[in-house]
mmCIF file of all heavy atoms in Angstrom:
data_model
loop_
_atom_site.group_PDB
_atom_site.id
_atom_site.type_symbol
_atom_site.label_atom_id
_atom_site.label_comp_id
_atom_site.label_asym_id
_atom_site.label_seq_id
_atom_site.Cartn_x
_atom_site.Cartn_y
_atom_site.Cartn_z
ATOM 1 N N ILE A 102 -15.845 -1.509 -27.840
ATOM 2 C CA ILE A 102 -16.563 -1.771 -29.082
ATOM 3 C C ILE A 102 -18.046 -1.687 -28.743
ATOM 4 O O ILE A 102 -18.514 -2.373 -27.826
ATOM 5 C CB ILE A 102 -16.249 -3.176 -29.649
ATOM 6 C CG1 ILE A 102 -14.749 -3.388 -29.820
ATOM 7 C CG2 ILE A 102 -17.021 -3.427 -30.932
ATOM 8 C CD1 ILE A 102 -14.124 -2.572 -30.908
ATOM 9 N N LYS A 103 -18.768 -0.843 -29.480
ATOM 10 C CA LYS A 103 -20.209 -0.693 -29.269
ATOM 11 C C LYS A 103 -20.940 -1.107 -30.532
ATOM 12 O O LYS A 103 -20.401 -1.030 -31.632
ATOM 13 C CB LYS A 103 -20.544 0.754 -28.907
ATOM 14 C CG LYS A 103 -19.929 1.176 -27.588
ATOM 15 C CD LYS A 103 -20.314 2.580 -27.209
ATOM 16 C CE LYS A 103 -19.667 2.936 -25.867
ATOM 17 N NZ LYS A 103 -20.043 4.272 -25.439
ATOM 18 N N ALA A 104 -22.181 -1.528 -30.359
ATOM 19 C CA ALA A 104 -22.993 -1.962 -31.493
ATOM 20 C C ALA A 104 -23.335 -0.764 -32.368
ATOM 21 O O ALA A 104 -23.892 0.223 -31.879
ATOM 22 C CB ALA A 104 -24.270 -2.634 -31.005
ATOM 23 N N GLY A 108 -29.175 -5.557 -33.289
ATOM 24 C CA GLY A 108 -28.990 -6.858 -33.911
ATOM 25 C C GLY A 108 -28.935 -7.982 -32.897
ATOM 26 O O GLY A 108 -29.255 -7.814 -31.720
ATOM 27 N N LEU A 109 -28.505 -9.154 -33.371
ATOM 28 C CA LEU A 109 -28.448 -10.377 -32.577
ATOM 29 C C LEU A 109 -27.012 -10.882 -32.548
ATOM 30 O O LEU A 109 -26.361 -10.986 -33.595
ATOM 31 C CB LEU A 109 -29.362 -11.440 -33.217
ATOM 32 C CG LEU A 109 -29.346 -12.833 -32.618
ATOM 33 C CD1 LEU A 109 -29.987 -12.821 -31.233
ATOM 34 C CD2 LEU A 109 -30.084 -13.806 -33.534
ATOM 35 N N ILE A 110 -26.514 -11.216 -31.363
ATOM 36 C CA ILE A 110 -25.162 -11.748 -31.222
ATOM 37 C C ILE A 110 -25.195 -13.227 -31.630
ATOM 38 O O ILE A 110 -25.828 -14.046 -30.982
ATOM 39 C CB ILE A 110 -24.631 -11.609 -29.775
ATOM 40 C CG1 ILE A 110 -24.627 -10.146 -29.327
ATOM 41 C CG2 ILE A 110 -23.246 -12.243 -29.648
ATOM 42 C CD1 ILE A 110 -23.690 -9.245 -30.097
ATOM 43 N N LEU A 111 -24.495 -13.557 -32.732
ATOM 44 C CA LEU A 111 -24.462 -14.931 -33.228
ATOM 45 C C LEU A 111 -23.306 -15.726 -32.644
ATOM 46 O O LEU A 111 -23.422 -16.930 -32.423
ATOM 47 C CB LEU A 111 -24.349 -14.954 -34.753
ATOM 48 C CG LEU A 111 -25.520 -14.409 -35.559
ATOM 49 C CD1 LEU A 111 -25.237 -14.545 -37.048
ATOM 50 C CD2 LEU A 111 -26.798 -15.158 -35.196
ATOM 51 N N GLU A 112 -22.183 -15.051 -32.425
ATOM 52 C CA GLU A 112 -20.985 -15.765 -31.975
ATOM 53 C C GLU A 112 -20.075 -14.821 -31.227
ATOM 54 O O GLU A 112 -19.949 -13.646 -31.584
ATOM 55 C CB GLU A 112 -20.250 -16.311 -33.204
ATOM 56 C CG GLU A 112 -19.005 -17.105 -32.907
ATOM 57 C CD GLU A 112 -18.336 -17.605 -34.185
ATOM 58 O OE1 GLU A 112 -19.030 -18.113 -35.079
ATOM 59 O OE2 GLU A 112 -17.103 -17.452 -34.266
ATOM 60 N N ILE A 113 -19.430 -15.326 -30.174
ATOM 61 C CA ILE A 113 -18.408 -14.586 -29.442
ATOM 62 C C ILE A 113 -17.146 -15.429 -29.495
ATOM 63 O O ILE A 113 -17.135 -16.576 -29.038
ATOM 64 C CB ILE A 113 -18.830 -14.306 -27.988
ATOM 65 C CG1 ILE A 113 -20.105 -13.469 -27.970
ATOM 66 C CG2 ILE A 113 -17.695 -13.611 -27.233
ATOM 67 C CD1 ILE A 113 -20.685 -13.226 -26.602
ATOM 68 N N SER A 114 -16.087 -14.879 -30.076
ATOM 69 C CA SER A 114 -14.864 -15.638 -30.337
ATOM 70 C C SER A 114 -13.785 -15.441 -29.286
ATOM 71 O O SER A 114 -12.720 -16.052 -29.380
ATOM 72 C CB SER A 114 -14.290 -15.235 -31.695
ATOM 73 O OG SER A 114 -15.248 -15.375 -32.702
ATOM 74 N N VAL A 115 -14.015 -14.574 -28.299
ATOM 75 C CA VAL A 115 -13.001 -14.261 -27.300
ATOM 76 C C VAL A 115 -13.576 -14.425 -25.899
ATOM 77 O O VAL A 115 -14.788 -14.580 -25.734
ATOM 78 C CB VAL A 115 -12.470 -12.812 -27.475
ATOM 79 C CG1 VAL A 115 -11.711 -12.673 -28.768
ATOM 80 C CG2 VAL A 115 -13.593 -11.802 -27.403
ATOM 81 N N SER A 116 -12.700 -14.377 -24.900
ATOM 82 C CA SER A 116 -13.140 -14.449 -23.511
ATOM 83 C C SER A 116 -12.414 -13.387 -22.695
ATOM 84 O O SER A 116 -11.378 -12.862 -23.109
ATOM 85 C CB SER A 116 -12.878 -15.839 -22.941
ATOM 86 O OG SER A 116 -11.506 -16.165 -23.041
ATOM 87 N N VAL A 117 -12.944 -13.082 -21.529
ATOM 88 C CA VAL A 117 -12.344 -12.076 -20.652
ATOM 89 C C VAL A 117 -10.936 -12.523 -20.266
ATOM 90 O O VAL A 117 -10.705 -13.685 -19.945
ATOM 91 C CB VAL A 117 -13.216 -11.858 -19.399
ATOM 92 C CG1 VAL A 117 -12.523 -10.930 -18.398
ATOM 93 C CG2 VAL A 117 -14.569 -11.287 -19.781
ATOM 94 N N LEU A 127 -13.593 -10.835 -32.951
ATOM 95 C CA LEU A 127 -14.098 -10.729 -31.586
ATOM 96 C C LEU A 127 -15.478 -11.361 -31.457
ATOM 97 O O LEU A 127 -15.733 -12.162 -30.573
ATOM 98 C CB LEU A 127 -14.173 -9.268 -31.153
ATOM 99 C CG LEU A 127 -12.871 -8.475 -31.164
ATOM 100 C CD1 LEU A 127 -13.132 -7.020 -30.823
ATOM 101 C CD2 LEU A 127 -11.869 -9.086 -30.206
ATOM 102 N N LEU A 128 -16.390 -10.949 -32.366
ATOM 103 C CA LEU A 128 -17.758 -11.466 -32.314
ATOM 104 C C LEU A 128 -18.456 -11.233 -33.642
ATOM 105 O O LEU A 128 -17.977 -10.481 -34.483
ATOM 106 C CB LEU A 128 -18.549 -10.835 -31.161
ATOM 107 C CG LEU A 128 -18.696 -9.318 -31.104
ATOM 108 C CD1 LEU A 128 -19.882 -8.846 -31.927
ATOM 109 C CD2 LEU A 128 -18.890 -8.885 -29.669
ATOM 110 N N ILE A 129 -19.598 -11.899 -33.787
ATOM 111 C CA ILE A 129 -20.403 -11.717 -34.994
ATOM 112 C C ILE A 129 -21.783 -11.221 -34.571
ATOM 113 O O ILE A 129 -22.438 -11.812 -33.710
ATOM 114 C CB ILE A 129 -20.524 -13.025 -35.807
ATOM 115 C CG1 ILE A 129 -19.149 -13.455 -36.302
ATOM 116 C CG2 ILE A 129 -21.492 -12.845 -36.979
ATOM 117 C CD1 ILE A 129 -19.119 -14.784 -37.024
ATOM 118 N N LEU A 130 -22.198 -10.114 -35.179
ATOM 119 C CA LEU A 130 -23.495 -9.497 -34.925
ATOM 120 C C LEU A 130 -24.328 -9.604 -36.192
ATOM 121 O O LEU A 130 -23.892 -9.178 -37.259
ATOM 122 C CB LEU A 130 -23.311 -8.021 -34.547
ATOM 123 C CG LEU A 130 -24.577 -7.167 -34.426
ATOM 124 C CD1 LEU A 130 -25.362 -7.544 -33.175
ATOM 125 C CD2 LEU A 130 -24.222 -5.690 -34.403
ATOM 126 N N PHE A 139 -16.932 -8.464 -36.187
ATOM 127 C CA PHE A 139 -16.208 -7.379 -35.535
ATOM 128 C C PHE A 139 -14.793 -7.838 -35.252
ATOM 129 O O PHE A 139 -14.577 -8.827 -34.553
ATOM 130 C CB PHE A 139 -16.907 -6.956 -34.231
ATOM 131 C CG PHE A 139 -18.143 -6.159 -34.462
ATOM 132 C CD1 PHE A 139 -19.315 -6.768 -34.879
ATOM 133 C CD2 PHE A 139 -18.133 -4.785 -34.299
ATOM 134 C CE1 PHE A 139 -20.455 -6.034 -35.113
ATOM 135 C CE2 PHE A 139 -19.276 -4.039 -34.527
ATOM 136 C CZ PHE A 139 -20.440 -4.659 -34.944
ATOM 137 N N ILE A 147 -8.749 -8.444 -23.422
ATOM 138 C CA ILE A 147 -10.190 -8.256 -23.242
ATOM 139 C C ILE A 147 -10.476 -8.029 -21.756
ATOM 140 O O ILE A 147 -10.188 -8.891 -20.927
ATOM 141 C CB ILE A 147 -10.990 -9.470 -23.768
ATOM 142 C CG1 ILE A 147 -10.669 -9.745 -25.240
ATOM 143 C CG2 ILE A 147 -12.489 -9.266 -23.541
ATOM 144 C CD1 ILE A 147 -11.028 -8.630 -26.191
ATOM 145 N N SER A 149 -13.703 -6.869 -20.572
ATOM 146 C CA SER A 149 -15.052 -7.365 -20.283
ATOM 147 C C SER A 149 -15.810 -7.617 -21.584
ATOM 148 O O SER A 149 -15.518 -7.015 -22.610
ATOM 149 C CB SER A 149 -15.830 -6.373 -19.415
ATOM 150 O OG SER A 149 -16.118 -5.197 -20.144
ATOM 151 N N ILE A 150 -16.769 -8.524 -21.486
ATOM 152 C CA ILE A 150 -17.691 -8.798 -22.585
ATOM 153 C C ILE A 150 -19.085 -8.594 -22.000
ATOM 154 O O ILE A 150 -19.471 -9.279 -21.052
ATOM 155 C CB ILE A 150 -17.518 -10.232 -23.126
ATOM 156 C CG1 ILE A 150 -16.084 -10.428 -23.617
ATOM 157 C CG2 ILE A 150 -18.532 -10.509 -24.231
ATOM 158 C CD1 ILE A 150 -15.733 -11.854 -23.983
ATOM 159 N N SER A 151 -19.814 -7.646 -22.548
ATOM 160 C CA SER A 151 -21.094 -7.234 -21.968
ATOM 161 C C SER A 151 -22.291 -7.943 -22.565
ATOM 162 O O SER A 151 -23.428 -7.614 -22.227
ATOM 163 C CB SER A 151 -21.266 -5.720 -22.119
ATOM 164 O OG SER A 151 -20.194 -5.047 -21.498
ATOM 165 N N VAL A 152 -22.064 -8.880 -23.474
ATOM 166 C CA VAL A 152 -23.161 -9.603 -24.126
ATOM 167 C C VAL A 152 -22.868 -11.095 -24.130
ATOM 168 O O VAL A 152 -21.740 -11.522 -23.877
ATOM 169 C CB VAL A 152 -23.364 -9.117 -25.582
ATOM 170 C CG1 VAL A 152 -23.847 -7.668 -25.616
ATOM 171 C CG2 VAL A 152 -22.091 -9.268 -26.394
ATOM 172 N N ASN A 153 -23.897 -11.872 -24.407
ATOM 173 C CA ASN A 153 -23.770 -13.315 -24.537
ATOM 174 C C ASN A 153 -24.304 -13.741 -25.894
ATOM 175 O O ASN A 153 -25.093 -13.014 -26.514
ATOM 176 C CB ASN A 153 -24.577 -14.035 -23.442
ATOM 177 C CG ASN A 153 -24.028 -13.762 -22.059
ATOM 178 O OD1 ASN A 153 -22.865 -14.016 -21.795
ATOM 179 N ND2 ASN A 153 -24.871 -13.221 -21.181
ATOM 180 N N LYS A 154 -23.891 -14.916 -26.333
ATOM 181 C CA LYS A 154 -24.406 -15.461 -27.584
ATOM 182 C C LYS A 154 -25.929 -15.562 -27.479
ATOM 183 O O LYS A 154 -26.468 -16.011 -26.473
ATOM 184 C CB LYS A 154 -23.799 -16.844 -27.835
ATOM 185 C CG LYS A 154 -24.207 -17.464 -29.136
ATOM 186 C CD LYS A 154 -23.507 -18.793 -29.358
ATOM 187 C CE LYS A 154 -23.991 -19.417 -30.651
ATOM 188 N NZ LYS A 154 -23.307 -20.699 -30.915
ATOM 189 N N GLY A 155 -26.625 -15.069 -28.510
ATOM 190 C CA GLY A 155 -28.089 -15.095 -28.534
ATOM 191 C C GLY A 155 -28.742 -13.817 -28.039
ATOM 192 O O GLY A 155 -29.951 -13.645 -28.183
ATOM 193 N N ASP A 156 -27.973 -12.910 -27.438
ATOM 194 C CA ASP A 156 -28.533 -11.643 -26.948
ATOM 195 C C ASP A 156 -28.901 -10.740 -28.123
ATOM 196 O O ASP A 156 -28.232 -10.721 -29.153
ATOM 197 C CB ASP A 156 -27.512 -10.886 -26.090
ATOM 198 C CG ASP A 156 -27.324 -11.470 -24.707
ATOM 199 O OD1 ASP A 156 -28.027 -12.441 -24.362
ATOM 200 O OD2 ASP A 156 -26.439 -10.957 -23.973
ATOM 201 N N THR A 157 -29.975 -9.970 -27.924
ATOM 202 C CA THR A 157 -30.277 -8.890 -28.871
ATOM 203 C C THR A 157 -29.693 -7.619 -28.271
ATOM 204 O O THR A 157 -29.713 -7.416 -27.061
ATOM 205 C CB THR A 157 -31.794 -8.725 -29.104
ATOM 206 O OG1 THR A 157 -32.442 -8.514 -27.852
ATOM 207 C CG2 THR A 157 -32.376 -9.942 -29.782
ATOM 208 N N VAL A 158 -29.144 -6.780 -29.138
ATOM 209 C CA VAL A 158 -28.497 -5.555 -28.667
ATOM 210 C C VAL A 158 -29.090 -4.348 -29.368
ATOM 211 O O VAL A 158 -29.635 -4.450 -30.472
ATOM 212 C CB VAL A 158 -26.967 -5.602 -28.894
ATOM 213 C CG1 VAL A 158 -26.338 -6.711 -28.081
ATOM 214 C CG2 VAL A 158 -26.627 -5.760 -30.358
ATOM 215 N N ASP A 159 -28.994 -3.213 -28.699
ATOM 216 C CA ASP A 159 -29.449 -1.943 -29.257
ATOM 217 C C ASP A 159 -28.260 -1.183 -29.824
ATOM 218 O O ASP A 159 -27.109 -1.422 -29.443
ATOM 219 C CB ASP A 159 -30.106 -1.093 -28.162
ATOM 220 C CG ASP A 159 -31.380 -1.723 -27.626
ATOM 221 O OD1 ASP A 159 -32.151 -2.275 -28.431
ATOM 222 O OD2 ASP A 159 -31.587 -1.661 -26.388
ATOM 223 N N GLY A 161 -25.464 1.345 -30.128
ATOM 224 C CA GLY A 161 -24.684 2.033 -29.110
ATOM 225 C C GLY A 161 -24.425 1.223 -27.859
ATOM 226 O O GLY A 161 -23.708 1.679 -26.964
ATOM 227 N N GLN A 162 -24.977 0.018 -27.772
ATOM 228 C CA GLN A 162 -24.771 -0.814 -26.587
ATOM 229 C C GLN A 162 -23.339 -1.333 -26.544
ATOM 230 O O GLN A 162 -22.781 -1.744 -27.555
ATOM 231 C CB GLN A 162 -25.753 -1.992 -26.590
ATOM 232 C CG GLN A 162 -25.659 -2.873 -25.362
ATOM 233 C CD GLN A 162 -26.721 -3.966 -25.348
ATOM 234 O OE1 GLN A 162 -27.780 -3.831 -25.958
ATOM 235 N NE2 GLN A 162 -26.437 -5.045 -24.650
ATOM 236 N N LEU A 163 -22.747 -1.314 -25.347
ATOM 237 C CA LEU A 163 -21.385 -1.804 -25.162
ATOM 238 C C LEU A 163 -21.343 -3.303 -25.421
ATOM 239 O O LEU A 163 -22.164 -4.064 -24.892
ATOM 240 C CB LEU A 163 -20.911 -1.501 -23.740
ATOM 241 C CG LEU A 163 -19.508 -1.982 -23.370
ATOM 242 C CD1 LEU A 163 -18.453 -1.256 -24.214
ATOM 243 C CD2 LEU A 163 -19.246 -1.769 -21.895
ATOM 244 N N LEU A 164 -20.361 -3.737 -26.231
ATOM 245 C CA LEU A 164 -20.190 -5.159 -26.534
ATOM 246 C C LEU A 164 -18.933 -5.707 -25.853
ATOM 247 O O LEU A 164 -18.996 -6.682 -25.116
ATOM 248 C CB LEU A 164 -20.088 -5.369 -28.056
ATOM 249 C CG LEU A 164 -21.259 -4.856 -28.897
ATOM 250 C CD1 LEU A 164 -20.962 -5.035 -30.372
ATOM 251 C CD2 LEU A 164 -22.537 -5.561 -28.501
ATOM 252 N N VAL A 165 -17.781 -5.063 -26.116
ATOM 253 C CA VAL A 165 -16.490 -5.544 -25.609
ATOM 254 C C VAL A 165 -15.666 -4.353 -25.142
ATOM 255 O O VAL A 165 -15.667 -3.306 -25.773
ATOM 256 C CB VAL A 165 -15.706 -6.300 -26.729
ATOM 257 C CG1 VAL A 165 -14.335 -6.725 -26.246
ATOM 258 C CG2 VAL A 165 -16.500 -7.489 -27.231
ATOM 259 N N GLU A 166 -14.969 -4.543 -24.000
ATOM 260 C CA GLU A 166 -14.039 -3.514 -23.504
ATOM 261 C C GLU A 166 -12.634 -4.074 -23.465
ATOM 262 O O GLU A 166 -12.442 -5.271 -23.161
ATOM 263 C CB GLU A 166 -14.414 -3.112 -22.075
ATOM 264 C CG GLU A 166 -15.403 -2.004 -21.966
ATOM 265 C CD GLU A 166 -15.560 -1.574 -20.512
ATOM 266 O OE1 GLU A 166 -15.947 -2.399 -19.687
ATOM 267 O OE2 GLU A 166 -15.278 -0.396 -20.247
#
Side-chain angles (χ1 to χ4, degrees):
I102 306 291
K103 296 183 180 182
L109 174 69
I110 302 295
L111 294 181
E112 181 180 315
I113 299 175
S114 306
V115 293
S116 58
V117 173
L127 301 175
L128 58 86
I129 297 175
L130 172 72
F139 285 76
I147 304 298
S149 68
I150 301 171
S151 302
V152 294
N153 295 303
K154 183 177 177 179
D156 285 357
T157 56
V158 296
D159 295 320
Q162 183 176 335
L163 179 64
L164 303 175
V165 176
E166 271 187 300

